[in-house]
Amino acid sequence: MTNDRADRQPSLVPWAAALLLAAAAPAHALVIGVTEGVTYQATDGQIEAKFEPIAEALGKALKQPVTIKVLSSYRNAREALKDNQVDLAFVHPAHVAFEATKSGNFKTLAWTAGFTDYKVSFLCKDLQAISNWKEIAGKSLVMPDADSITSVITRAMLREQGLQEGAVKTTNTRYQDAVPFYVQNGFAAYGATASASVVKAWKSTGGKTCAESRAVPIKQWLASSKLDASTVATARDTLLSLAQSDAGKRALATSTYSGFIAPSAEVEKTLMTWLGI
């Protein structure tokens, strides 16, 4: 007589082995996309090192591995956000973050403390503030990379004052710290920058500022809309609480940021309209 039980037992071994392997396999790694902007100079390695302790804190809280994907250009960032190549993202240029949230692909998790009041200043040699914006039509204005948040804000400022595209002669330079050179040497009547250090250095040599934009929060944390609610909530709570523990403060120290705060959906909606997103 054939032992049916014995005959069937070997066929169960592969299934059992597969189940054991699945149980032992590590959880799917979440990917954090990071872009730190294009008008400052930093290597991918330097950026990744800044965020490794925060990634470790998130991985510990989420109980799964977390990897970092540096998005070294805005094109890379937009593609990664559009195609859901990342699960979480730290995005410096607010307009790129706003594009992702407006599309519905991502939701804002947090803003970066100390970077919620980002304003563009116009450097100039004249003491008086610009009172009649029509008078600057035809004059020259230098600003950073055309796709930087500084330039996006600058164009919003001009539109707000009734100056359409082309009314002011604009020139772009790669880095913000090059803007004062153009104004100082007469290559531009005005220079747009949002770098506090650049503005401080400009004023220390007798330079003036003659216009300032409304405030824009930059450096947003985003979460993919495909993540489950529990994961999103844990990631948000972890980011918002980093500054409240010694371990979190150590992670923040490496990033150079002081912490992260809850965002305002209403403020972001208003700014999207102003920025033309």
Side-chain angles (χ1 to χ4, degrees):
M1 180 182 293
T2 303
N3 188 333
D4 290 342
R5 182 176 180 183
D7 290 343
R8 290 197 302 270
Q9 190 171 2
S11 67
L12 296 176
V13 173
W15 289 98
L19 288 172
L20 288 172
L21 286 173
H28 167 67
L30 289 179
V31 180
I32 299 176
V34 177
T35 178
E36 281 267 67
V38 298
T39 61
Y40 300 95
Q41 304 177 55
T43 66
D44 288 0
Q46 290 171 329
I47 293 171
E48 185 172 354
K50 282 179 62 176
F51 284 86
E52 281 179 350
I54 293 178
E56 290 175 2
L58 285 167
K60 183 178 180 179
L62 293 167
K63 296 181 174 57
Q64 62 186 114
V66 175
T67 61
I68 297 172
K69 179 183 179 70
V70 178
L71 307 171
S72 54
S73 72
Y74 290 180
R75 180 179 61 83
N76 293 150
R78 286 187 172 102
E79 288 178 353
L81 294 170
K82 179 182 178 181
D83 299 336
N84 281 103
Q85 297 172 17
V86 297
D87 303 291
L88 302 172
F90 180 87
V91 184
H92 164 68
H95 60 299
V96 174
F98 291 161
E99 289 168 6
T101 55
K102 186 174 182 179
S103 73
N105 283 356
F106 282 79
K107 300 176 182 179
T108 305
L109 276 183
W111 291 348
T112 302
F115 292 87
T116 61
D117 198 31
Y118 192 81
K119 297 179 181 179
V120 170
S121 293
F122 276 21
L123 309 185
C124 57
K125 292 184 177 181
D126 297 329
L127 178 60
Q128 295 183 340
I130 299 173
S131 57
N132 183 358
W133 283 76
K134 291 183 179 179
E135 291 180 356
I136 77 168
K139 293 185 179 181
S140 54
L141 167 68
V142 62
M143 51 188 175
D145 186 282
D147 195 26
S148 67
I149 183 58
T150 300
S151 291
V152 172
I153 293 173
T154 300
R155 291 192 292 271
M157 291 172 69
L158 296 176
R159 286 195 305 270
E160 188 175 37
Q161 298 298 333
L163 294 169
Q164 300 304 313
E165 185 175 354
V168 177
K169 299 176 182 178
T170 59
T171 301
N172 296 98
T173 183
R174 176 70 172 173
Y175 299 114
Q176 296 220 37
D177 52 13
V179 169
F181 173 85
Y182 283 77
V183 182
Q184 183 62 46
N185 292 280
F187 298 117
Y190 305 98
T193 179
S195 168
S197 61
V198 169
V199 173
K200 182 178 180 180
W202 173 253
K203 289 183 175 180
S204 71
T205 59
K208 312 298 180 184
T209 59
C210 51
E212 188 176 73
S213 75
R214 66 174 71 181
V216 176
I218 59 171
K219 299 182 184 290
Q220 282 92 341
W221 276 98
L222 307 180
S224 171
S225 297
K226 293 187 176 181
L227 291 176
D228 62 85
S230 176
T231 298
V232 172
T234 300
R236 180 180 59 245
D237 293 345
T238 301
L239 291 170
L240 297 182
S241 64
L242 282 176
Q244 300 169 18
S245 69
D246 290 339
K249 289 176 181 177
R250 287 193 293 271
L252 289 169
T254 302
S255 75
T256 71
Y257 299 123
S258 62
F260 307 106
I261 63 175
S264 166
E266 189 59 35
V267 169
E268 290 197 346
K269 182 179 179 181
T270 299
L271 289 173
M272 284 183 203
T273 300
W274 183 64
L275 294 172
I277 295 170

